[in-house]
Amino acid sequence: KNQVEQSPQSLIILEGKNCTLQCNYTVSPFSNLRWYKQDTGRGPVSLTIMTFSENTKSNGRYTATLDADTKQSSLHITASQLSDSASYICVVSGRGGVIIQGAQKLVFGQGTRLTINP
Amino acid sequence: GAGVSQSPSNKVTEKGKDVELRCDPISGHTALYWYRQSLGQGLEFLIYFQGNSAPDKSGLPSDRFSAERTGGSVSTLTIQRTQQEDSAVYLCASSLARWDTQYFGPGTRLTVL
């Protein structure tokens, strides 16, 4: 079964600290993995996209890693800011001719709710 | 440039009423998606439009749900005879082409009393 599991479900850290969010998936065959940030009351916004051959990709203070062998990804946030408080959603896209969920065969994780306290 | 817009931002309706939710995708984007996000839940795919092709309706939860995309641009999601379990945030996204990154609108929060 194609699944995306994220952990932790929620996380609270102090401003300025670093944190790492995890995403494990079973989607196969794999095409790419995206991390989205969703502020409360807003739509998700893409942070990074990684394909099979990419191990690390950075976007400012956000660094995503991908291990396609173990089917694991992480999102590391450095020097957290209050504005980082949001839900972070891992989305895995499969490939191939079989449509599972929409045109892109997308499988969404449940998200990690991150709260940054001053 | 303008992003994806949705209207209304909030909709409160009574059980049994019909509702229409609107999505204006980014100009030039050929792909348009509707998702539903219930409280504390992940995104649930509903329907996908690609150009003039027949839409992928595989995610629609029941025949009370339907969607149209007129002129390859604006889309309307219609929910007939609303039920309390339809209460959720309905998100629309568009992408330049089929496999590109999706850009999401702010969503419409639907509350069915």
Side-chain angles (χ1 to χ4, degrees), chain B residues 51-88:
Chain B
N52 296 321
S53 302
D56 175 359
K57 304 178 182 180
S58 59
L60 295 179
S62 77
D63 58 8
R64 295 186 297 105
F65 288 73
S66 64
E68 291 184 339
R69 189 179 185 192
T70 56
S73 181
V74 173
S75 177
T76 302
L77 176 69
T78 302
I79 309 173
Q80 296 178 311
R81 305 181 302 281
T82 52
Q83 303 294 315
Q84 288 184 333
E85 60 263 30
D86 299 334
S87 296

Side-chain angles (χ1 to χ4, degrees), chain B residues 4-81:
Chain B
V4 177
S5 60
Q6 292 185 245
S7 62
S9 56
N10 282 284
K11 177 71 176 179
V12 179
T13 189
E14 294 180 347
K15 178 182 174 181
K17 299 287 187 182
D18 298 350
V19 295
E20 285 190 351
L21 312 180
R22 177 188 169 105
C23 171
D24 283 87
I26 294 173
S27 178
H29 280 195
T30 63
L32 186 147
Y33 312 78
W34 282 99
Y35 297 91
R36 179 168 69 176
Q37 189 173 37
S38 302
L39 186 63
Q41 301 296 315
L43 286 164
E44 175 188 4
F45 165 77
L46 297 177
I47 188 170
Y48 158 71
F49 294 90
Q50 174 62 56
N52 296 321
S53 302
D56 175 359
K57 304 178 182 180
S58 59
L60 295 179
S62 77
D63 58 8
R64 295 186 297 105
F65 288 73
S66 64
E68 291 184 339
R69 189 179 185 192
T70 56
S73 181
V74 173
S75 177
T76 302
L77 176 69
T78 302
I79 309 173
Q80 296 178 311
R81 305 181 302 281

Side-chain angles (χ1 to χ4, degrees), chain A residues 3-118:
Chain A
Q3 287 186 314
V4 175
E5 300 287 341
Q6 290 189 243
S7 62
Q9 190 173 26
S10 63
L11 180 65
I12 302 173
I13 64 172
L14 293 175
E15 184 180 12
K17 298 295 186 182
N18 304 334
C19 66
T20 300
L21 314 180
Q22 299 291 341
C23 173
N24 297 340
Y25 63 93
T26 59
V27 177
S28 181
F30 170 82
S31 177
N32 59 66
L33 184 148
R34 294 178 170 90
W35 282 94
Y36 282 88
K37 177 187 178 187
Q38 185 176 20
D39 293 309
T40 300
R42 308 290 294 273
V45 174
S46 178
L47 293 176
T48 64
I49 176 172
M50 303 180 71
T51 59
F52 183 87
S53 59
E54 296 176 296
N55 300 119
T56 303
K57 182 164 283 188
S58 292
N59 178 0
R61 294 180 295 103
Y62 301 100
T63 299
T65 64
L66 174 65
D67 186 334
D69 292 330
T70 61
K71 296 183 169 58
Q72 295 179 328
S73 176
S74 65
L75 180 69
H76 186 75
I77 304 175
T78 304
S80 61
Q81 299 177 359
L82 296 178
S83 59
D84 293 332
S85 293
S87 288
Y88 291 83
I89 304 170
C90 176
V91 184
V92 181
S93 176
R95 58 181 170 84
V98 178
I99 303 300
I100 289 182
Q101 186 176 21
Q104 291 189 23
K105 199 175 173 181
L106 294 178
V107 186
F108 291 84
Q110 296 288 72
T112 292
R113 177 68 199 174
L114 176 64
T115 302
I116 311 297
N117 285 337

